[in-house]
Amino acid sequence: MSLRQYEYALAVAEEGSVTAAAELLHVAQPSVSQQIRGLERELGVELFARTPTGLVPTVVGRAFLREAEIAVSASRRARATARAGADELVGELMVAVQMGFGTRQLPGALGALRRRFPRLEVTVFEEPSSAELERLGRRGVLDLALMAACEQSPADAHHLGDEEFVVVLGAGHRQLAVDRVELRELEGEPWVRFDRDSALDGVLLNVLRDNDLTPTTAARVSQTATAVRWAAHGLGVTLVPASAVPHGHEHLVRPVFPVVSQPVIAVVRHGAGPAETALLELLRQETWSEPAFFSPVS
Amino acid sequence: MSLRQYEYALAVAEEGSVTAAAELLHVAQPSVSQQIRGLERELGVELFARTPTGLVPTVVGRAFLREAEIAVSASRRARATARAGADELVGELMVAVQMGFGTRQLPGALGALRRRFPRLEVTVFEEPSSAELERLGRRGVLDLALMAACEQSPADAHHLGDEEFVVVLGAGHRQLAVDRVELRELEGEPWVRFDRDSALDGVLLNVLRDNDLTPTTAARVSQTATAVRWAAHGLGVTLVPASAVPHGHEHLVRPVFPVVSQPVIAVVRHGAGPAETALLELLRQETWSEPAFFSPVS
DNA sequence: GGAGCCGATGAGCCTTCGTCAGTACGAGTA
DNA sequence: TACTCGTACTGACGAAGGCTCATCGGCTCC
C-alpha cells in the first residue's frame, strides 16, 4: 500500500510490460515484478492479466489505476508545493482581525503581500468572537492576529499603533453640533451594541462604566459596518474604531471625550516563518494613527 | 515521499501533537517524530512549527497537507475499489463492436449485466476502424470485441451466430417489389459505402466483386445508421447487417441473393475475468439468427 | 527446433521503519 | 524558586521490506 507500488503499477499499465516499465523507472525488472505481485496479493485481486507479450490491466485493475493515478499526481503536487515553498513563499496564511482593527490598513498590506508573493493565499477571519479566536489560536490555526489586548506577553506581540474609538450618531442628532462629544452627554441614549462576549462589547461596557452611564441596548450586531449603518438610521448611538467607519458616514462620526483608545497589537504565532514576518512588516509600514482625520466636517 | 509519511503528517495536523497522533495511529511516538522530520528534511521545508504544547502546521505546511490529504484519500479509494472487486464485480469493461454487430442484442445483454453488477461500468467503442481496433487490441485495452473474422484463432474466440446482410433501397425503388433482391439486378446503382479500410466496406467490396458488379460510390459514411438513412432518401443503395437497421426503415430493406452472411465472433481477451465471462454468457443467451425477420412487408 | 522475448522466483545485501531507553526544553504549580 | 508534568527529539538495536543479480519457465517467431 505504498505510493511506489502505485507508480510501478501505473508505469506497467502505461508501457504494457514490466520490462519497459522497469527501465522507465530506472530499476531492475524483478523489482517491478515483485511490487506488482505484492500489491495484488495485498488486495486479493488480479490487477493485470498476463499475456505472452506483457501485462494488461484487468477490469478491476483499470478502476484501481484510475484512483491510483489521482493519488500519485496529488502526491507530486504536494511535493512540488512544499519544494516551491523552500524558495518562494507558497501556502495559506491565516489571519484573524478583532474589533475591525486594520479595516483601513489591511487591504493595502495584503495587496502588497500578494504582489510580492502571488502564490501565497490569505484567509482572513473578520471579527471572530473571543471564544472562536481562542479556539483558533489554541489549535495553532492562526498565523497572525490583530487584537487589542493580548494575554501572551512575549516578543511575539507587536504594537502597531493605537486605534481611537468614535461615536456614530443618528442623522440630525443634536450632538453633531460639537467637535468632540462628551460621553456624559449621551446619558439615556439607546446603544447599538455588539454580540455578547465580543471584544467590542467589552470595550463599550468599560467605557460606559467609566463614565457612569447606564447602557440601554437598542440592538446587538456582529459587524461594525452594521452597527454604523443602524446608528446612522437613528436606531441608537454606537462606538466603533475610527478606521471601521465605512465611507459615506464620516459626517455622523465624532471623537469622544474622554478619549477612548485601544492599542492595535499584532500577535504572530510561535515559530513564525517568512510569510508571517513579511505581512507583519507590511502592516508596520502602514500609517496607524491619524488623529486629525475625524475633525468636524465644515 | 511515502503515503505513510502523509498519513502521519495529517494525523499530527489533526491532533495537534505527535504523541496524540502516535496513539491514534497505534505506533510509538518516536516513529511519528522521525517520519515528520524525514519528510521535512527531504522537502527542505519546515512543515510544522514546534510549540511547547505540540506541533502546528506552518504556512507552507498547510498548502502541503491540502494536497497530501487528496493523495491519501485517493489511495483509500483505490484500495477500497480493488478490495470490492474481489467479491463483487467492480471496474470498467471495454467493449468494441465492429460493423454494427449486436445492435439488437447488445442493449439487452448490457442491461442484464448492469442489473447483476451495478458497479461495473461499460464503455463501448462502436464501429471502430480496423486500425483503431487493432491498436486497442494490441494495447490490451479491450476486454471483449464483436467482429466477423478473427486472426487469433484460439479458444478466446466464440461464435455467437451469423449476421445476414441486407440491402437498403430508396423509397419507391423498383426492387422493393421482390422478396429477395438478386445482387446482379443492382448493376449500375450508386452505393452508399463505408469509410476506407473499414470492415463493412471490405464486406461490401467482396460482395460486389463476387457478383461482378462495379462499385459506383455515392458517398462514404462511418455509421450504419447513417448509411441506412441516406439510402432511404434515395442517395443510393447500401448493404448493412440486418440487425443494424433502425426502426422505421424495415419496409425499405430486402434480403439478398446470393445470401451475404458474416459470422459474429466474440473475442475475449487473454486472462478473461468474471466480468468478461459474464458478458459473454449474456451475449450467448441473446437470440442471434432470425431469418424470417425481414420477410416482405404486406 | 532453437533463439529471443516475456515475467516469475530465490538468495543476499542494504536501506528503512519500528521500538525502547534516555535527553532536553518549556509550562504550570506549590 | 524548585519540582513535576507535559512535550519532542536522539541514539541503539532488531526486524521487515526493497533492490539487485542470477536463474528458471513459458511463449512466439524465424
Side-chain angles (χ1 to χ4, degrees):
Chain A
M1 226 46 205
S2 109
L3 270 178
R4 176 175 294 111
Q5 291 176 316
Y6 294 172
E7 288 169 337
Y8 283 19
L10 287 168
V12 168
E14 180 71 24
E15 296 291 319
S17 93
V18 172
T19 309
E23 71 184 68
L24 179 74
L25 296 163
H26 304 295
V27 293
Q29 169 262 320
S31 184
V32 179
S33 203
Q34 286 172 359
Q35 292 294 334
I36 300 292
R37 278 201 108 61
L39 195 56
E40 289 179 329
R41 182 168 39 78
E42 187 178 345
L43 295 171
V45 185
E46 196 180 37
L47 296 176
F48 293 91
R50 273 69 176 176
T51 75
T53 63
L55 269 65
V56 160
T58 61
V59 170
V60 56
R62 269 193 296 268
F64 170 83
L65 289 166
R66 230 186 317 172
E67 304 295 336
E69 176 147 30
I70 296 175
V72 169
S73 67
S75 167
R76 285 197 219 288
R77 272 202 309 278
R79 183 189 174 85
T81 302
R83 296 200 77 93
D87 321 323
E88 205 183 346
L89 272 186
V90 179
E92 188 181 11
L93 196 64
M94 307 289 256
V95 179
V97 181
Q98 219 179 10
M99 303 204 297
F101 282 179
T103 305
R104 205 172 62 247
Q105 294 89 352
L106 251 187
L110 291 180
L113 190 71
R114 177 148 202 85
R115 278 191 296 278
R116 275 181 54 189
F117 310 112
R119 295 182 58 188
L120 192 61
E121 303 169 26
V122 180
T123 303
V124 180
F125 296 103
E126 286 185 278
E127 308 180 28
S129 70
S130 297
E132 179 88 1
L133 192 72
E134 180 73 10
R135 199 176 58 79
L136 293 173
R138 284 280 174 221
R139 290 203 53 198
V141 179
L142 290 181
D143 296 308
L144 192 146
L146 294 185
M147 40 174 59
C150 63
E151 46 280 16
Q152 56 245 51
S153 46
D156 297 330
H158 301 83
H159 185 226
L160 294 176
D162 291 275
E163 185 82 39
E164 189 175 349
F165 280 61
V166 294
V167 289
V168 185
L169 307 168
H173 195 284
R174 56 187 168 78
Q175 290 289 334
L176 284 170
V178 299
D179 288 355
R180 184 173 284 268
V181 172
E182 297 246 354
L183 282 167
R184 293 173 198 278
E185 298 292 324
L186 296 176
E187 174 63 36
E189 293 276 354
W191 284 85
V192 177
R193 291 176 59 183
F194 302 93
D195 287 343
R196 289 178 204 283
D197 301 324
S198 70
L200 272 173
D201 205 52
V203 170
L204 179 55
L205 270 180
N206 278 338
V207 167
L208 295 176
R209 180 169 44 73
D210 291 346
N211 291 277
D212 296 324
L213 296 172
T214 51
T216 310
T217 306
R220 285 183 187 274
V221 299
S222 296
Q223 305 196 4
T224 50
T226 310
V228 171
R229 213 174 311 123
W230 289 18
H233 275 76
L235 200 69
V237 298
T238 192
L239 187 76
V240 297
S243 70
V245 176
H247 283 300
H249 292 85
E250 293 86 353
H251 60 290
L252 300 176
V253 159
R254 291 293 180 277
V256 296
F257 180 85
V259 170
V260 175
S261 178
Q262 289 280 318
V264 179
I265 296 176
V267 180
V268 185
R269 75 112 162 262
H270 244 85
E276 295 90 325
T277 313
L279 178 55
L280 178 61
E281 199 48 46
L282 289 169
L283 281 172
R284 278 210 150 109
Q285 292 170 8
E286 298 284 326
T287 47
W288 281 93
S289 299
E290 296 194 2
F293 187 71
F294 283 100
S295 55
V297 289
S298 54
Chain B
M1 227 47 206
S2 108
L3 271 178
R4 178 176 292 109
Q5 291 175 317
Y6 295 171
E7 288 170 337
Y8 282 20
L10 287 168
V12 167
E14 180 70 24
E15 296 291 319
S17 94
V18 173
T19 309
E23 72 184 67
L24 180 73
L25 296 163
H26 303 295
V27 292
Q29 171 265 321
S31 185
V32 179
S33 203
Q34 286 173 359
Q35 292 294 334
I36 300 293
R37 278 216 162 287
L39 195 57
E40 289 180 329
R41 181 169 40 77
E42 187 179 346
L43 294 171
V45 184
E46 195 181 36
L47 296 176
F48 293 91
R50 272 68 175 176
T51 75
T53 63
L55 267 66
V56 159
T58 62
V59 169
V60 56
R62 269 193 296 267
F64 170 83
L65 288 167
R66 230 185 317 173
E67 305 294 337
E69 177 147 30
I70 296 175
V72 169
S73 67
S75 167
R76 285 197 219 289
R77 272 201 309 279
R79 183 189 174 83
T81 302
R83 296 201 77 93
D87 322 323
E88 206 183 346
L89 272 186
V90 179
E92 188 182 10
L93 196 64
M94 308 289 258
V95 179
V97 181
Q98 218 179 11
M99 303 203 299
F101 281 0
T103 305
R104 204 172 62 247
Q105 294 88 350
L106 251 187
L110 290 181
L113 191 72
R114 177 149 203 85
R115 277 191 294 280
R116 274 181 55 187
F117 310 112
R119 295 182 59 187
L120 192 62
E121 304 169 25
V122 180
T123 302
V124 179
F125 296 103
E126 287 187 279
E127 307 180 29
S129 71
S130 297
E132 179 88 1
L133 192 70
E134 180 75 8
R135 200 176 58 78
L136 293 174
R138 284 280 174 221
R139 290 201 53 200
V141 179
L142 289 182
D143 296 309
L144 191 146
L146 293 187
M147 40 175 56
C150 63
E151 47 280 16
Q152 55 246 50
S153 46
D156 297 332
H158 302 84
H159 186 227
L160 294 176
D162 290 276
E163 184 82 40
E164 189 176 349
F165 279 62
V166 294
V167 288
V168 184
L169 306 169
H173 195 285
R174 59 187 165 78
Q175 290 289 335
L176 284 172
V178 300
D179 287 355
R180 184 173 285 267
V181 173
E182 298 244 356
L183 282 167
R184 294 174 198 279
E185 297 292 324
L186 296 175
E187 174 63 36
E189 293 276 354
W191 285 84
V192 178
R193 291 177 59 186
F194 301 92
D195 287 342
R196 291 179 201 281
D197 300 325
S198 69
L200 272 173
D201 206 52
V203 169
L204 180 56
L205 269 181
N206 277 338
V207 168
L208 294 176
R209 180 169 44 73
D210 291 346
N211 291 278
D212 296 323
L213 297 173
T214 52
T216 311
T217 305
R220 283 185 189 271
V221 299
S222 297
Q223 305 194 4
T224 49
T226 310
V228 172
R229 213 175 311 123
W230 289 18
H233 275 77
L235 199 69
V237 298
T238 192
L239 187 76
V240 296
S243 71
V245 176
H247 283 301
H249 293 85
E250 292 86 352
H251 60 290
L252 301 175
V253 159
R254 292 291 179 279
V256 294
F257 180 85
V259 169
V260 175
S261 178
Q262 290 279 318
V264 180
I265 296 174
V267 179
V268 184
R269 75 110 161 266
H270 244 85
E276 295 91 324
T277 313
L279 179 55
L280 178 61
E281 200 46 47
L282 288 169
L283 281 172
R284 277 207 151 110
Q285 292 171 10
E286 297 284 325
T287 47
W288 281 94
S289 298
E290 297 194 1
F293 187 71
F294 283 100
S295 56
V297 288
S298 55

